[in-house]
């Protein structure tokens, strides 16, 4: 039956042809896909683990910094000769500000031991290990867990030495942290909620452990050494015969090392589920293929069945059979020939019948037959003419195919991508002219030579032959191949897609198509380097007080002057003047009851006692001036008799005087207050210098960000200037809504930075002229999240970060990023979303002309309440009505 049934044979051939490559491709994809998912899952988990380690380490650093700050304050209070009870109250107040500390205590060198909690009498804390180690090492000491002798609670102590203004050791400050809280925090450093932990000190001793099972024991010298050697990656181990996944991480501030492990089956359960889904899709694909083959074979065999039935009818004497011609291919031509043959047979049959009748009539019938034969001869001649016409048509088709081949070859030769082919030995069999444009080689210099001649090895491979071996083993998408130019001096990165070539099941070579992405990779690396620089900048800013990074210079200096007036009750005036041009002292801050009497204009250094303090770089009192030399600007204040003493304190940073702080008091300013002023001036000088450096770093940062924004917009000529215009539109809307100047500044920053994440999107997607496919659009939707990751280390305000992340969220909180859920949009995100859409509509694009302002506002109103905030849309419409020129002016940016 199989040999007689054409349709069954056709189905069998189709199944064999499609099943073998599909099965082979499925096996290859299954292996590669599973490894890729596992690697991706491991990378994500390690990244989360690193973030948790950083958060825990930063927490310890904050606690150490808190103790340092309290220690510095204690060194100043020590000069005040405070009673033990007052010192206890001070430490108790500081413990309330830092609730993580179970207790804060100080042991002075003379044995005095104030503490936030009441201490047991008769204990000499100078004999405690934390005191001895902090004094000997003169550094921060973090103890092992121990039982507190006062409360009996298991604690860990952070201790550090205290020094006076002359740098002399005067005692040790310590803070107790509850061990239970430490364990809870370390437990958050995990692979999953069921992860186990073993914590070691810097000597390798186990501090505590949290293991699976009642008698779990996985930490021995061999396992520990294996984990330490594989630090930063996942390693398989066993616990009571159960396979586990484990890693080893450091906590730098404490010197601790943590082993984290989890059940391997639970860890890879997610990967296995994806694999089963893949198997299911494969089975569905095969089933769909069988169905398609069945339907296709039925359609292909249908005309053959009709032709077979018609032939059977003719064989049974039905010569008037005619098949309707529904096809215009070779089968259609066969059916046409059959119809013609059937008509001829039918005609011949009638002719034979007529001839039989004419034989009885004699010679006349023979003549009629001769006429019929002549007619048949003419038909044969017509058929011959038709055959000649078909042959000419075939020749024309052949010429058309040759022409198409020439066009294809011309296309390959002229595209900018590098196209090459190599044989099974790795020798180049074809390469297009782009090799000369990119690497400087002539095609003839590469052909018939090993392809590795233009490659250079990179970190994953020891030599170029390993790269060729990988390419022969499997196909690659977007593989970065490093190639050297003809002079062997410049390296290019070619993003290449490779496909292996087979003939009759035998491997015959590899075809590759690559694009020069060297500049793109350089730009990506530049972003990483900039990000590292911004991280350093953030660490520097945390060293200052919160006011240094949030307040302007004049506010910062006013706060310092106010602090002096607050600390010294008899101070009538405190001014801060900064040196400019090495000649003048310019007033920057002035506080106190008589501040209205201060001259606001600049004072020459040579005209006043302040200038002497600047030149001699030392603190001067009124009595230190010869003849009490003061300028007329300050003399009239003394004449009021409300001021009886003046102290000039230079602000010095790195032996350079940057200004002078003048303190005028109703009473004599004592040595103790002068000492405080000197200390405060040092802090003020450092704060001023840090504030200046912060402003410079901030300006440099925004210049860098603006440069990166320009780099992003340079990828697409239609979006150049887009971020600047969005910032201007947003500021115009914010001003109309009555935002403060500070809020308007933040809003403009958000407008400039809102699309910074597009630096991480491929240029081919950003500049694609046509409609994006689903995968490309998914990548575009990642740019708000990428922008948030780029800006996170900088410490920008929450309003700016929310605007960058959520400016593509709709007013009804749909839109993207889809994984971010908020009850309602922040006002900055609403404003940037409307400004972004308005500029897009008013700007020219490759696929449309720009809209007018009126048309743009109509579109905004159409989607008001769904995509856009009605309040923001109404504000734009009002601005358009009262100040159209403001919007037009922004459009010209």
């Amino acid at each position: 039956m199989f040999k007689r049934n054409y349709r069954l044979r056709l189905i069998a051939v189709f199944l064999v042809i499609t099943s073998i490559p599909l099965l082979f491709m499925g096996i290859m994809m299954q292996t590669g896909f599973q490894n890729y998912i596992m690697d991706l899952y491991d990378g994500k988990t390690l990244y989360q683990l690193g973030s948790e380690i950083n958060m825990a380490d930063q927490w310890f650093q904050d606690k150490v910094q808190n103790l340092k700050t309290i220690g510095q304050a204690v060194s100043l209070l020590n000069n005040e000769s405070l009673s033990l009870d007052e010192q206890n109250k001070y430490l108790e107040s500081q413990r309330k500000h830092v609730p993580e500390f179970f207790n804060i205590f100080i042991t002075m060198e003379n044995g005095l031991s104030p503490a936030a909690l009441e201490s047991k009498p008769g204990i000499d804390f100078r004999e405690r290990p934390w005191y001895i180690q902090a004094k000997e090492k003169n550094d921060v000491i973090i103890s092992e867990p121990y039982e507190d002798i006062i409360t009996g609670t298991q604690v860990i102590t952070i201790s550090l030495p205290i020094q006076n203004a002359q740098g002399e050791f005067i005692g040790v400050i310590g803070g107790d942290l509850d061990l239970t809280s430490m364990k809870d925090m370390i437990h958050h450093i995990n692979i999953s909620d069921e992860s186990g932990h073993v914590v070691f000190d810097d000597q390798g001793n186990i501090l505590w452990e949290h293991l699976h099972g009642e008698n779990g024991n996985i930490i021995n010298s061999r396992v520990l050494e294996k984990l330490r050697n594989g630090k930063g990656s996942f390693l398989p181990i066993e616990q009571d015969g159960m396979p586990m996944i484990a890693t080893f991480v450091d906590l730098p501030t404490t010197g601790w090392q943590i082993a984290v492990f989890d059940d391997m089956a639970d860890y890879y359960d997610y990967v296995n589920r994806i694999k089963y889904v893949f198997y299911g899709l494969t089975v569905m694909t095969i089933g769909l293929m069988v169905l398609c083959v069945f339907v296709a074979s039925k359609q292909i065999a249908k005309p053959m069945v009709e032709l077979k039935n018609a032939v059977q009818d003719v064989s049974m004497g039905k010569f008037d059979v005619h098949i309707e011609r529904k096809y215009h291919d070779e089968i259609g031509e066969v059916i046409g020939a059959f119809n013609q043959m059937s008509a001829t047979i039918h005609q011949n049959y009638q002719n034979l019948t007529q001839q039989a009748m004419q034989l009885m009539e004699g010679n006349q019938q023979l003549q009629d037959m001769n006429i019929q034969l002549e007619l048949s001869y003419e038909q044969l001649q017509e058929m011959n003419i038709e055959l000649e016409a078909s042959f000419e048509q075939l020749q024309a088709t052949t010429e058309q195919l040759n022409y198409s081949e020439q066009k294809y070859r011309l296309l390959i030769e002229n595209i900018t991508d590098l196209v090459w082919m190599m044989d099974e030995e790795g020798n180049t069999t074809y390469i297009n002219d782009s090799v000369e444009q990119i690497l400087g080689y002539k095609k003839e210099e590469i052909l018939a030579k090993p392809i590795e001649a233009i490659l250079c090895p990179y970190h994953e491979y020891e030599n170029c032959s390993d790269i060729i071996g990988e390419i022969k083993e499997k196909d690659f998408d977007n593989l970065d191949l490093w190639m050297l130019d003809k002079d062997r001096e410049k390296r290019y990165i070619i993003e290449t897609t490779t496909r292996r070539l087979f003939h009759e099941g035998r491997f015959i070579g590899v075809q590759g198509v690559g694009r020069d992405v060297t500049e793109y990779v350089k730009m990506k690396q530049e972003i990483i380097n900039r990000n590292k620089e911004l991280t350093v900048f953030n660490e520097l800013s945390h060293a200052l007080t919160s006011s240094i990074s949030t307040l302007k210079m004049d506010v910062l200096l006013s706060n310092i002057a106010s602090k002096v007036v607050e600390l010294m009750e008899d101070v009538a005036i405190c001014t801060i003047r900064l040196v400019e041009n090495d000649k003048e002292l310019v007033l920057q801050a002035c506080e106190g009851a008589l501040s209205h009497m201060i001259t606001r204009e600049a004072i020459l250094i040579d005209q006043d006692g302040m200038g002497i303090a600047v030149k001699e770089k030392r603190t001067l009192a009124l009595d230190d001036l010869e003849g009490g030399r003061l300028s007329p600007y300050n003399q009239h204040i003394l004449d009021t008799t409300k001021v009886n003493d003046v102290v000039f304190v230079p602000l010095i940073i790195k032996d350079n005087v940057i200004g002078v702080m003048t303190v005028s008091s109703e009473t004599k300013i004592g040595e103790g207050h002068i000492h405080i002023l000197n200390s405060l001036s040092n802090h003020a000088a450092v704060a001023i210098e840090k504030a200046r450096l912060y402003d410079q770093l901030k300006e440099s940062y925004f210049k860098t960000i603006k440069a990166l924004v320009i780099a992003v917009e340079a990828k697409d000529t239609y979006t150049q200037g887009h971020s600047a215009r969005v910032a201007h539109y947003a500021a115009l809307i914010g001003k109309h809504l009555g935002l403060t100047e500070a809020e308007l500044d933040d809003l403009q920053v958000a407008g400039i930075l809102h699309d910074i994440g597009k630096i991480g999107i491929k240029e081919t997607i950003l500049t694609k002229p046509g409609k994006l496919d689903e995968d490309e659009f998914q990548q575009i939707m990642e740019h708000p999240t990428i922008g948030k990751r780029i800006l996170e280390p900088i410490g920008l305000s929450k309003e700016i970060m929310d605007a960058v992340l959520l400016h593509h969220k709709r007013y009804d909180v749909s839109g993207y990023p889809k994984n971010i859920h908020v009850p309602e949009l922040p006002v900055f995100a609403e404003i940037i979303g409307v400004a972004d859409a308005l500029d897009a509509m008013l700007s020219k694009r490759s696929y449309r002309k720009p809209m007018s302002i009126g048309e743009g506002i109509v579109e905004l109103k159409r989607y008001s309440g769904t995509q856009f905030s009605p309040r923001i849309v109404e504000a734009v419409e009002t601005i358009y009505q009262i100040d159209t020129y403001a919007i037009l002016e922004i459009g010209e940016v």
Side-chain angles (χ1 to χ4, degrees):
M1 179 178 180
F2 180 78
K3 292 183 178 180
R4 294 182 179 182
N5 194 315
Y6 170 76
R7 183 180 176 188
L8 288 179
R9 293 200 307 275
L10 189 62
I11 292 175
V13 170
F14 279 169
L15 289 177
V16 170
I17 291 174
T18 56
S19 298
I20 292 177
L22 184 62
L23 180 62
F24 178 76
M25 182 175 66
I27 294 173
M28 296 299 294
M29 288 184 63
Q30 194 275 338
T31 302
F33 181 72
Q34 182 174 353
N35 293 337
Y36 170 76
I37 290 298
M38 292 177 68
D39 291 343
L40 189 64
Y41 189 58
D42 286 348
K44 171 180 174 292
T45 305
L46 286 173
Y47 176 80
Q48 293 176 346
L49 198 62
S51 298
E52 293 163 357
I53 280 289
N54 292 336
M55 290 175 62
D57 193 63
Q58 184 62 48
W59 187 88
F60 275 104
Q61 290 181 18
D62 292 343
K63 302 306 122 205
V64 171
Q65 184 61 42
N66 290 336
L67 283 181
K68 287 182 178 179
T69 302
I70 297 172
Q72 291 173 357
V74 167
S75 67
L76 294 176
L77 294 173
N78 189 45
N79 297 327
E80 305 270 337
S81 300
L82 298 179
S83 67
L84 178 61
D85 184 57
E86 290 174 328
Q87 293 184 39
N88 289 340
K89 290 181 179 180
Y90 172 74
L91 292 178
E92 172 60 22
S93 67
Q94 293 303 312
R95 189 181 73 87
K96 291 179 180 179
H97 291 306
V98 190
E100 292 85 353
F101 281 118
F102 182 75
N103 189 13
I104 300 176
F105 47 84
I106 297 171
T107 296
M108 307 302 291
E109 194 171 24
N110 59 10
L112 184 65
S113 298
L117 299 180
E118 184 177 356
S119 177
K120 291 183 178 180
I123 299 175
D124 189 352
F125 289 97
R126 291 174 296 180
E127 298 177 357
R128 302 295 289 172
W130 51 263
Y131 179 91
I132 297 172
Q133 293 178 10
K135 180 179 179 181
E136 291 178 350
K137 296 183 179 180
N138 194 30
D139 199 357
V140 177
I141 299 299
I142 299 179
S143 73
E144 296 182 0
Y146 69 93
E147 183 177 294
D148 183 55
I149 61 176
I150 299 175
T151 63
T153 304
Q154 287 289 320
V155 297
I156 292 173
T157 298
I158 301 176
S159 59
L160 53 90
I162 305 174
Q163 297 175 344
N164 59 18
Q166 289 74 33
E168 298 172 345
F169 175 81
I170 61 173
V172 174
I173 183 170
D176 289 340
L177 299 172
D178 186 8
L179 181 61
T180 302
S181 299
M182 296 300 96
K183 289 183 178 181
D184 292 341
M185 182 179 65
I186 295 300
H187 186 65
H188 284 88
I189 303 174
N190 56 32
I191 301 173
S192 70
D193 293 338
E194 301 298 326
S195 295
H197 300 80
V198 179
V199 182
F200 304 87
D201 62 13
D202 56 357
Q203 303 298 321
N205 300 316
I206 296 179
L207 299 179
W208 72 82
E209 59 185 6
H210 169 69
L211 305 177
H212 287 285
E214 297 180 356
N215 300 313
N217 182 16
I218 67 169
I219 300 302
N220 54 51
S221 59
R222 182 180 61 81
V223 173
L224 181 59
E225 185 66 23
K226 180 179 179 182
L227 290 177
R228 283 176 174 162
N229 292 336
K231 187 181 296 182
S233 61
F234 286 124
L235 296 174
I237 60 175
E238 287 192 1
Q239 177 189 358
D240 299 332
M242 182 172 66
M244 308 288 288
I245 192 78
T247 187
F248 203 75
V249 296
D250 292 329
L251 199 60
T253 300
T254 63
W256 296 347
Q257 299 173 325
I258 305 171
V260 186
F261 48 92
D262 200 356
D263 182 80
M264 185 177 292
D266 293 340
Y267 176 72
Y268 286 117
D269 180 63
Y270 174 74
V271 175
N272 291 332
R273 289 201 302 270
I274 294 179
K275 183 172 67 176
Y276 295 146
V277 171
F278 175 79
Y279 290 157
L281 292 176
T282 302
V283 172
M284 291 176 61
T285 302
I286 294 175
L288 182 61
M289 180 192 69
V290 172
L291 179 62
C292 293
V293 168
F294 178 80
V295 174
S297 64
K298 182 176 180 180
Q299 293 298 319
I300 294 175
K302 183 176 180 181
M304 300 303 295
V305 173
E306 293 178 355
L307 186 61
K308 182 190 73 173
N309 294 335
V311 171
Q312 290 177 348
D313 290 342
V314 171
S315 65
M316 296 180 66
K318 297 180 181 179
F319 302 121
D320 58 346
V321 174
H322 179 81
I323 303 175
E324 183 180 358
R325 185 171 179 178
K326 303 177 182 177
Y327 312 96
H328 300 282
D329 51 8
E330 292 83 351
I331 294 178
E333 293 178 358
V334 172
I335 291 176
F338 172 82
N339 288 336
Q340 184 176 359
M341 181 191 71
S342 175
T344 302
I345 293 174
H346 180 66
Q347 184 66 36
N348 290 337
Y349 175 76
Q350 290 180 341
N351 290 340
L352 288 174
T353 302
Q354 186 177 5
Q355 288 174 7
M357 294 176 64
Q358 289 175 350
L359 285 173
M360 298 173 64
E361 296 177 358
N363 188 37
Q364 184 65 38
Q365 291 177 342
L366 291 175
Q367 292 179 352
D368 293 338
M369 185 180 294
N370 185 48
I371 294 173
Q372 293 296 328
L373 289 174
E374 290 178 352
L375 292 174
S376 297
Y377 176 72
E378 291 176 356
Q379 289 178 348
L380 288 174
Q381 285 183 323
E382 292 175 356
M383 291 178 62
N384 184 50
I385 294 172
E386 291 178 356
L387 288 174
E388 290 178 352
S390 299
F391 178 74
E392 292 175 354
Q393 185 177 5
L394 179 61
Q395 283 184 321
T397 302
T398 302
E399 292 175 356
Q400 183 66 30
L401 288 174
N402 292 334
Y403 176 69
S404 298
E405 181 182 1
Q406 292 176 357
K407 289 199 298 183
Y408 174 74
R409 180 172 293 275
L410 183 63
L411 174 63
I412 293 298
E413 294 294 339
N414 288 279
I415 63 175
T416 58
D417 290 353
L418 181 63
V419 182
W420 53 268
M421 295 177 63
M422 73 175 189
D423 59 20
E424 63 273 19
E425 300 297 330
N427 296 322
T428 307
T429 58
Y430 172 80
I431 195 164
N432 67 345
D433 291 334
S434 294
V435 70
E436 182 174 1
Q437 300 173 4
I438 299 175
L439 303 179
Y441 287 98
K442 296 288 187 181
K443 289 196 305 182
E444 296 75 13
E445 296 174 334
I446 302 299
L447 291 175
K449 294 182 180 179
I451 191 68
E452 64 184 73
I454 61 175
L455 297 179
C456 64
Y458 53 104
H459 60 92
E460 293 184 6
Y461 304 92
E462 294 183 359
N463 51 60
C464 292
S465 60
D466 294 339
I467 305 174
I468 302 303
E470 287 283 342
I471 293 174
K472 291 180 181 179
E473 290 295 326
K474 60 181 180 180
D475 297 335
F476 286 92
D477 291 321
N478 303 325
L479 172 66
D480 286 345
L481 291 179
W482 294 7
M483 296 187 176
L484 292 175
D485 66 356
K486 186 176 180 180
D487 297 330
R488 312 298 288 180
E489 294 180 354
K490 187 174 182 181
R491 182 180 65 188
Y492 291 87
I493 302 176
I494 309 299
E495 186 181 73
T496 305
T497 297
T498 66
R499 292 293 182 267
R500 292 168 298 155
L501 305 177
F502 295 88
H503 178 67
E504 297 181 353
R506 185 178 67 86
F507 172 74
I508 62 171
V510 177
Q511 175 183 339
V513 179
R515 176 168 298 177
D516 181 9
V517 294
T518 307
E519 293 303 321
Y520 169 77
V521 173
K522 287 181 179 179
M523 183 177 294
K524 184 177 179 180
Q525 187 61 43
E526 179 67 16
I527 294 173
I528 294 173
N529 293 338
R530 289 297 183 186
N531 194 35
K532 292 180 180 178
E533 293 174 3
L534 296 176
T535 301
V536 173
F537 154 73
N538 192 37
E539 292 174 355
L540 290 175
S541 66
H542 277 296
L544 304 175
T545 61
S546 60
S547 64
I548 292 176
S549 61
T550 57
L551 299 181
K552 296 181 180 179
M553 178 70 77
D554 55 347
V555 179
L556 173 63
L557 297 178
S558 294
N559 288 343
I560 294 173
S562 297
K563 190 66 176 178
V564 172
V565 175
E566 179 182 346
L567 290 175
M568 301 171 63
E569 297 179 356
D570 295 331
V571 172
I573 309 172
C574 177
T575 65
I576 297 178
R577 292 180 181 268
L578 298 184
V579 177
E580 286 191 9
N581 302 323
D582 295 329
K583 296 179 179 180
E584 296 180 335
L585 294 171
V586 179
L587 183 67
Q588 298 292 334
C590 179
E591 298 292 334
L594 301 180
S595 60
H596 62 280
M597 301 182 66
I598 291 298
T599 300
R600 305 292 169 173
E601 60 187 80
I603 298 177
L604 295 176
I605 291 178
D606 296 329
Q607 291 183 350
D608 195 88
M610 292 183 290
I612 299 176
V614 171
K615 290 180 178 181
E616 296 183 2
K617 299 181 180 179
R618 66 187 180 92
T619 301
L620 296 176
L622 185 62
D623 295 338
D624 296 329
L625 301 179
E626 296 180 3
R629 191 182 79 180
L630 285 176
S631 66
Y633 307 112
N634 288 325
Q635 185 63 47
H636 76 284
I637 299 176
L638 290 174
D639 294 340
T640 63
T641 68
K642 294 181 180 180
V643 171
N644 296 302
D645 198 6
V646 180
V647 173
F648 307 100
V649 185
L651 305 177
I652 304 175
I653 186 73
K654 294 181 180 180
D655 204 36
N656 292 323
V657 179
I658 62 174
V660 61
M661 179 168 61
T662 304
V663 179
S664 302
S665 175
E666 298 175 5
T667 59
K668 182 70 174 178
I669 299 176
E671 290 296 326
H673 280 164
I674 291 177
H675 179 72
I676 293 175
L677 289 175
N678 284 329
S679 299
L680 187 58
S681 70
N682 292 333
H683 288 289
V686 172
I688 293 169
E689 185 66 12
K690 287 184 177 180
R692 285 178 172 176
L693 292 175
Y694 175 82
D695 290 339
Q696 294 173 2
L697 287 172
K698 187 173 181 181
E699 181 180 3
S700 175
Y701 160 69
F702 281 114
K703 287 182 179 179
T704 301
I705 291 299
K706 289 179 181 178
L708 293 178
V709 170
I710 293 173
V712 172
E713 296 180 347
K715 294 182 176 182
D716 186 359
T717 57
Y718 290 99
T719 61
Q720 291 181 2
H722 168 70
S723 297
R725 292 193 297 272
V726 170
H728 290 315
Y729 285 130
L732 193 62
I733 297 171
K735 186 175 182 181
H736 179 78
L737 295 177
L739 299 184
T740 65
E741 287 296 323
E743 290 172 331
L744 291 176
D745 289 343
D746 283 354
L747 187 59
Q748 280 197 299
V749 172
I752 292 174
L753 302 180
H754 77 285
D755 274 344
I756 188 65
K758 288 185 178 178
I759 197 72
I761 307 301
K762 290 184 178 180
E763 182 177 352
T764 53
I765 297 177
L766 294 177
T767 59
K768 183 175 181 180
K771 183 178 180 181
L772 298 179
D773 59 33
E774 183 177 355
D775 182 64
E776 292 169 336
F777 187 67
Q778 289 295 328
Q779 294 185 48
I780 284 290
M781 288 196 296
E782 288 295 321
H783 83 268
T785 305
I786 295 173
K788 180 176 180 290
R789 287 202 299 269
I790 291 174
L791 299 174
E792 271 181 341
I794 313 308
L796 296 176
S797 68
K798 182 178 185 299
E799 289 75 12
I800 296 176
M801 297 300 293
D802 285 347
V804 172
L805 180 64
L806 304 174
H807 71 275
H808 278 295
K809 278 286 189 182
R810 297 161 57 99
Y811 179 70
D812 57 9
V813 299
S814 61
Y816 62 89
K818 294 183 179 180
N819 60 334
I820 303 298
H821 303 286
V822 293
E824 62 181 7
L825 281 184
V827 65
F828 275 27
E830 291 180 344
I831 294 173
I832 297 299
V834 172
D836 190 23
L838 180 63
D839 183 68
M841 289 186 289
L842 302 187
S843 300
K844 182 180 179 181
R845 291 292 185 265
S846 59
Y847 48 88
R848 63 163 176 79
K849 296 180 179 179
M851 294 184 182
S852 66
I853 299 177
E855 292 171 339
I857 292 177
V858 169
E859 285 298 304
L860 291 178
K861 293 174 66 177
R862 178 182 300 175
Y863 297 101
S864 176
T866 56
Q867 183 175 352
F868 306 116
S869 166
R871 182 168 70 113
I872 308 303
V873 173
E874 182 180 356
V876 173
E877 185 178 13
T878 303
I879 293 171
Y880 173 64
Q881 292 172 350
I882 64 178
D883 194 2
T884 306
Y885 178 75
I887 299 180
L888 291 173
E889 188 176 26
I890 294 174
E892 297 175 358
V893 173

